[in-house]
Amino acid sequence: MQTRRLCPAIGTEIVGVDLSNPVSDETFEQIRKVWHESNGLVVIRDQKLTEEQQIAFSRKFGKLHTLQGHTVTKYLHPDHPEIYRVSNKVVDGKPQGRKGAGTYWHSDQSYEATPAHASVLYAKEIPPVGGDTIFASTQRAYEALSDTFKAFLLPLKAVHSFANASGGGFRNEVVTKEQLDAAPPSVHPIIRKHAETGKFGVFVNPGFTAYIDGLDPAESRAVLGYLFELVTKPDYQYRHRWSPNDMVIWDNRCTLHYAVMDYDGKGDRLMHRCTVIGETPLPASV
Ligand code: OGA
Ligand code: MN
């Protein structure tokens, strides 16, 4: 197994592993170590994987999310509910996945009480141009804060809401009242301690973070506005140009991502995502 850093702030490419074979615990621990050391982003190219093989590999990270009752349930793979499909393809009038998923900065399912931990995204079809995904390290963003501002943020919590995205990222979806009721907002620490590495990161995102608990609305807007600007600075980013058979694994506890929608009408894009359920976000104080 060889590794190559992709960007100063985030991301490592791993070569020399074949995820179609059952991955031994030892190899998996090596991958996880590289993942943590690169601020939660690993790229593994040229993987020829069946749905079953992607699911088996993803399960090594933990229990998978099947997005039942969610507004995107209709985009799950018909034979494998563990796989959520992101695609602009329409076959016989039927969308092959959610079009325009994640075209805003977010951390997967941050509005849930136990948001996603790893997301394992596999490229099946990629348009000839466009369709990149940008990733950002929220740990690097945290490191850039002054000690005084860190101390101010430390006890604060923010409300993450799916309804927030229904006015933004989910604006192209029909979201029913039942689906909104099934996804109540969650309150999470703004400075989140990573459960495995102990590193601190800024756990807010423009897609789902609605407001800071206990602040006046104008204060909340000002502070979140600054944090959103900080966590989306190019200095902390890596931009992935996909090829078919690429596997990208990100850690939603310490990264954000943004899907660039610049390819509509220029080619087909089809992605398969497995989502690992995470833990209750830890405050920095534990
Ligand atoms: C996702 C997502 C980004 C992309 O699958 O969670 O945001 O580029 N996708 O498809
Ligand atoms: Mn996403």
Side-chain angles (χ1 to χ4, degrees):
M1 190 169 116
Q2 293 100 48
T3 59
R4 184 173 74 90
R5 267 322 272 253
L6 293 167
C7 258
I10 180 171
T12 294
E13 178 175 355
I14 296 181
V15 288
V17 291
D18 177 358
L19 303 177
S20 69
N21 294 319
V23 174
S24 69
D25 289 346
E26 193 192 344
T27 303
F28 181 72
E29 286 315 321
Q30 272 180 289
I31 295 172
R32 178 147 58 186
K33 185 163 180 285
V34 171
W35 194 51
H36 289 328
E37 286 168 357
S38 11
N39 284 327
L41 184 77
V42 154
V43 171
I44 311 177
R45 295 184 182 272
D46 300 320
Q47 300 298 308
K48 302 256 179 353
L49 299 181
T50 63
E51 283 78 2
E52 287 85 354
Q53 288 163 339
Q54 181 181 354
I55 292 168
F57 173 68
S58 304
R59 281 216 171 106
K60 296 221 119 206
F61 287 91
K63 193 170 182 297
L64 300 188
H65 201 314
T66 52
L67 297 164
Q68 294 306 316
H70 194 281
T71 175
V72 299
T73 304
K74 57 182 172 292
Y75 302 126
L76 299 180
H77 191 293
D79 304 323
H80 301 280
E82 300 89 345
I83 291 179
Y84 163 50
R85 298 173 304 169
V86 172
S87 187
N88 62 336
K89 284 180 76 167
V90 179
V91 175
D92 298 330
K94 207 171 172 339
Q96 298 301 292
R98 171 152 153 71
K99 179 179 165 181
T103 51
Y104 51 99
W105 283 104
H106 67 286
S107 171
D108 291 330
Q109 268 80 38
S110 79
Y111 49 86
E112 294 186 349
T114 53
H117 150 175
S119 289
V120 182
L121 191 63
Y122 180 57
K124 303 276 291 179
E125 292 176 53
I126 293 300
V129 288
D132 295 358
T133 310
I134 312 175
F135 298 90
S137 167
T138 58
Q139 291 171 340
R140 286 301 171 104
Y142 172 80
E143 288 162 13
L145 295 169
S146 69
D147 288 344
T148 307
F149 201 50
K150 281 177 187 161
F152 166 73
L153 293 174
L154 221 57
L156 295 180
K157 292 183 173 185
V159 175
H160 293 242
S161 152
F162 175 68
N164 195 58
S166 64
F170 276 87
R171 62 191 173 279
N172 303 325
E173 287 294 328
V174 178
V175 181
T176 64
K177 187 176 172 313
E178 286 71 32
Q179 287 163 339
L180 275 181
D181 290 347
S186 295
V187 187
H188 297 310
I190 290 185
I191 306 301
R192 179 175 185 177
K193 184 176 176 178
H194 193 287
E196 287 162 67
T197 65
K199 283 197 220 170
F200 294 172
V202 180
F203 193 62
V204 296
N205 65 82
F208 300 127
T209 311
Y211 61 92
I212 299 176
D213 214 18
L215 293 194
D216 174 87
E219 293 169 342
S220 168
R221 275 196 301 279
V223 175
L224 278 183
Y226 172 68
L227 291 178
F228 291 163
E229 188 186 314
L230 179 76
V231 293
T232 59
K233 263 175 94 166
D235 315 40
Y236 315 133
Q237 294 175 7
Y238 163 69
R239 179 168 176 142
H240 190 66
R241 167 75 200 130
W242 293 91
S243 297
N245 302 329
D246 283 358
M247 175 74 97
V248 175
I249 307 148
W250 66 86
D251 188 338
N252 289 287
R253 298 171 291 185
C254 59
T255 64
L256 301 184
H257 58 285
Y258 181 106
V260 181
M261 176 38 97
D262 58 353
Y263 56 94
D264 203 22
K266 297 183 177 65
D268 289 340
R269 188 175 187 270
L270 173 63
M271 316 294 280
H272 279 184
R273 188 185 91 186
C274 287
T275 318
V276 182
I277 306 175
E279 69 281 344
T280 304
L282 301 178
S285 57
V286 298

